[in-house]
């Protein structure tokens, strides 16, 4: 069964350092999402791509976060510089534009970021 | 703004007990509704979804949910829980438009004792 791949699974960094996360969605899924999940909370959208274009980045802290999906397939999320409050699980999800508009999203295993 | 409320933060049950987890959403238009589950150490998986038709939706592992439009609710139920149902459960909503992000509730942790 096809899955969303993410790496690394765990990342520990010191504040003010740069970190990057990678996501490879399910083949054929045009829509890709990055969510952040703080411990004890539900996931919250950071950025959404349709193919290579950003559809929604209204919740992305653009002074330190950036995201790209250059060829409309895999994606990278970067934080520079990392702050203590960025410690969270970063989830990638993808979806297919199906004709029933179900919006079902498939999630990867996430990257657990700890900022010291 | 859209929002999702899950009223139970932590539910503790014995095996074979019945389960109902509450979920209410706030959105004025047509919605898609989801329940996702996250087992310990695993990624989010879809339990069930509603996008149209019969408001009583059946999912995997014996779970079901009922969409009550007048109450803006989508409660999750299971008649008899098992120890393996111990997990965190998330309710989510999206507008019924292609390619829109999900709005999640804060989640309910279910602990089932054997």
């Amino acid at each position: 069964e096809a899955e969303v791949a993410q790496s690394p699974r765990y990342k520990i960094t010191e504040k003010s350092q740069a970190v990057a996360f990678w996501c490879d969605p399910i083949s054929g899924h045009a829509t890709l999402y990055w969510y952040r999940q703080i411990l004890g909370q539900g996931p919250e959208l950071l950025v959404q791509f349709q193919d290579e274009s950003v559809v929604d980045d209204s919740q992305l802290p653009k002074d330190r976060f950036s995201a790209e999906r250059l060829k409309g397939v895999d994606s990278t999320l970067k934080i520079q510089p990392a702050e203590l409050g960025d410690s969270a699980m970063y989830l990638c999800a993808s979806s297919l534009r199906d004709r029933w508009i179900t919006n079902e999203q498939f999630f990867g295993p996430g990257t657990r970021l700890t900022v010291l | 703004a859209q929002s999702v409320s899950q009223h139970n933060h932590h539910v503790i049950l014995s095996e074979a007990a019945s389960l109902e987890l509450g979920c209410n959403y706030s959105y004025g238009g047509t919605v898609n509704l989801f329940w996702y589950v996250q087992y310990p150490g695993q990624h989010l998986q879809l339990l069930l979804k509603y996008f149209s038709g019969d408001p009583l939706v059946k999912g995997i592992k014996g779970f079901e949910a009922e969409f009550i439009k007048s109450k803006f609710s989508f409660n999750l139920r299971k008649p008899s829980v098992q120890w393996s149902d111990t997990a965190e459960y998330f309710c989510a909503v999206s507008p019924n438009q292609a390619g829109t992000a999900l709005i999640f509730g804060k989640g309910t942790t279910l602990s089932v004792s054997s």
Side-chain angles (χ1 to χ4, degrees):
Chain A
E1 182 177 321
E3 295 185 340
V4 176
Q6 288 189 251
S7 67
R9 294 290 304 276
Y10 304 92
K11 180 69 178 178
I12 300 174
T13 191
E14 294 185 343
K15 64 179 181 178
S16 80
Q17 296 299 303
V19 292
F21 314 132
W22 176 80
C23 170
D24 191 14
I26 293 172
S27 178
H29 283 200
T31 312
L32 184 148
Y33 311 81
W34 283 100
Y35 290 87
R36 178 168 60 184
Q37 184 178 16
I38 297 170
L39 196 62
Q41 305 285 324
E44 294 183 334
L45 181 72
L46 286 173
V47 61
Q48 177 185 342
F49 290 90
Q50 182 63 38
D51 300 310
E52 67 277 4
S53 301
V54 172
V55 173
D56 183 355
D57 63 356
S58 57
Q59 300 304 309
L60 189 70
K62 298 181 191 63
D63 56 335
R64 298 185 299 108
F65 285 64
S66 64
E68 62 183 15
R69 194 184 183 198
L70 293 176
K71 297 183 179 179
V73 180
D74 58 338
S75 175
T76 302
L77 178 69
K78 297 178 182 177
I79 309 175
Q80 182 174 17
E83 295 181 353
L84 295 177
D86 297 332
S87 294
M89 177 75 86
Y90 290 82
L91 297 168
C92 182
S94 67
S95 68
L96 190 62
R97 288 180 73 98
D98 57 57
R99 61 191 173 108
W100 296 279
I101 316 179
T102 64
N103 276 343
E104 178 179 350
Q105 296 181 19
F106 298 82
F107 285 82
T111 296
R112 170 75 65 190
L113 173 66
T114 302
V115 182
L116 303 175
Chain B
Q2 302 156 46
S3 65
V4 175
S5 296
Q6 291 184 242
H7 313 297
N8 315 101
H9 182 62
H10 193 182
V11 173
I12 301 172
L13 296 173
S14 299
E15 274 195 317
S18 64
L19 169 72
E20 180 160 4
L21 300 182
C23 173
N24 286 89
Y25 67 93
S26 132
Y27 181 70
T30 306
V31 294
N32 295 342
L33 294 157
F34 307 83
W35 276 97
Y36 280 85
V37 62
Q38 190 166 28
Y39 298 103
Q42 297 187 25
H43 57 276
L44 278 166
Q45 302 170 36
L46 183 69
L47 265 183
L48 47 79
K49 64 188 178 192
Y50 170 83
F51 58 98
S52 68
D54 189 343
L56 184 60
V57 179
K58 295 194 182 299
I60 61 172
K61 305 186 180 185
F63 286 90
E64 65 177 30
E66 185 175 13
F67 171 44
I68 302 180
K69 189 175 181 179
S70 61
K71 295 185 178 180
F72 297 89
S73 71
F74 191 56
N75 292 353
L76 182 70
R77 300 193 293 249
K78 185 171 185 178
S80 176
V81 295
Q82 300 173 320
W83 176 82
S84 58
D85 293 324
T86 295
E88 191 155 18
Y89 293 80
F90 293 94
C91 181
V93 65
S94 77
N96 184 237
Q97 299 166 17
T100 53
L102 301 181
I103 306 296
F104 284 86
K106 292 186 177 182
T108 297
T109 301
L110 172 64
S111 299
V112 180
S113 59
S114 56

